[in-house]
């Protein structure tokens, strides 16, 4: 299993960062170059995903179209939520999102992302040689987009005022 951690400081209130992290639209904005889309018929297709809700994504990663369904399995607004893969190509995938308000009016966002590739032996080789780096870059790219949105007036396009 691979465990990745990323820390991002955002010049925006904690509530805004928490909600933007749950926004289907922000997720899609951070995944444009992968052709990511919400699958029709998914439980949640827009807006903010909430506790116990599922979303199904379809995107092209490493040259292969993938479908993944994740569920919000824990939530403590505005400081924490967790999404867990319930169906997809990985043997296991879980993403913990932590938020901490800083005294400067900024928010510290910490991602802890764990995954295990399918096929124990070959999967472990893939984790070491390819997936660890690929998933780290993917997580960073999404956080850069979320930070840009949160720190600009564009956040209003994704959240009710």
């Amino acid at each position: 299993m691979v465990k990745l951690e990323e820390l991002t400081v955002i010049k925006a209130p904690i509530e805004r960062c928490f909600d933007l992290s749950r926004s289907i639209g922000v997720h899609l904005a951070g995944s444009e170059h992968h052709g990511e889309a919400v699958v029709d018929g998914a439980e949640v297709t827009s807006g903010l995903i909430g506790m116990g809700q599922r979303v199904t994504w379809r995107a092209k990663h490493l040259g292969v179209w993938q479908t993944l369904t994740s569920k919000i399995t824990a939530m403590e607004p505005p400081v924490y939520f967790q999404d867990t893969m319930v169906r997809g190509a990985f043997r296991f995938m879980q993403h913990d999102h932590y938020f901490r308000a800083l005294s400067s009016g900024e928010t510290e966002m910490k991602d802890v992302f764990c995954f295990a590739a399918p096929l124990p032996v070959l999967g472990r080789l893939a984790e070491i040689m390819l997936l660890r780096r690929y998933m780290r870059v993917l997580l960073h790219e999404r956080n850069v987009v979320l930070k840009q949105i949160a720190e600009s007036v564009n956040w209003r396009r994704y959240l009710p005022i």
Side-chain angles (χ1 to χ4, degrees):
M1 184 170 75
V2 175
K3 180 179 180 181
L4 304 174
E5 294 189 21
E6 173 141 341
L7 198 64
T8 307
V9 176
I10 303 170
K11 295 175 186 168
I14 189 171
E15 294 82 2
R16 181 187 309 163
C17 297
F18 180 82
D19 285 344
L20 288 171
S21 293
R22 299 183 304 119
S23 166
I24 302 299
V26 171
H27 182 92
L28 292 171
S31 307
E32 283 181 343
H33 60 282
H34 296 286
E36 190 148 4
V38 177
V39 174
D40 287 337
E43 182 178 349
V44 177
T45 58
S46 64
L48 304 181
I49 191 164
M51 180 61 193
Q53 293 184 312
R54 296 172 187 234
V55 62
T56 300
W57 307 100
R58 180 165 166 75
K60 193 172 193 176
H61 293 286
L62 300 170
V64 178
W65 283 100
Q66 303 281 334
T67 301
L68 179 138
T69 300
S70 62
K71 178 180 181 178
I72 302 299
T73 49
M75 184 178 290
E76 187 181 328
V79 296
Y80 171 73
F81 75 96
Q82 177 186 76
D83 60 89
T84 304
M85 183 192 76
V86 294
R87 187 173 55 237
F90 286 89
R91 192 163 27 109
F92 173 81
M93 182 184 288
Q94 194 165 67
H95 187 175
D96 293 290
H97 308 254
Y98 298 91
F99 303 86
R100 186 169 66 94
L102 303 176
S103 60
S104 59
E106 298 175 323
T107 299
E108 178 186 87
M109 181 174 75
K110 180 180 178 183
D111 292 274
V112 179
F113 186 71
C114 299
F115 67 91
L119 306 171
V121 175
L122 292 175
R124 186 65 185 140
L125 289 173
E127 288 172 1
I128 294 166
M129 297 174 68
L130 179 67
L131 290 174
R132 177 187 306 266
R133 183 182 185 305
Y134 182 83
M135 297 304 274
R136 183 179 303 284
V137 168
L138 186 67
L139 180 63
H140 180 74
E141 287 173 353
R142 289 182 178 167
N143 285 351
V144 166
V145 170
L146 190 146
K147 178 180 171 70
Q148 289 171 344
I149 292 169
E151 292 180 346
S152 72
V153 296
N154 292 335
W155 68 268
R156 291 183 175 101
R157 295 190 342 219
Y158 301 96
L159 300 178
I161 296 176

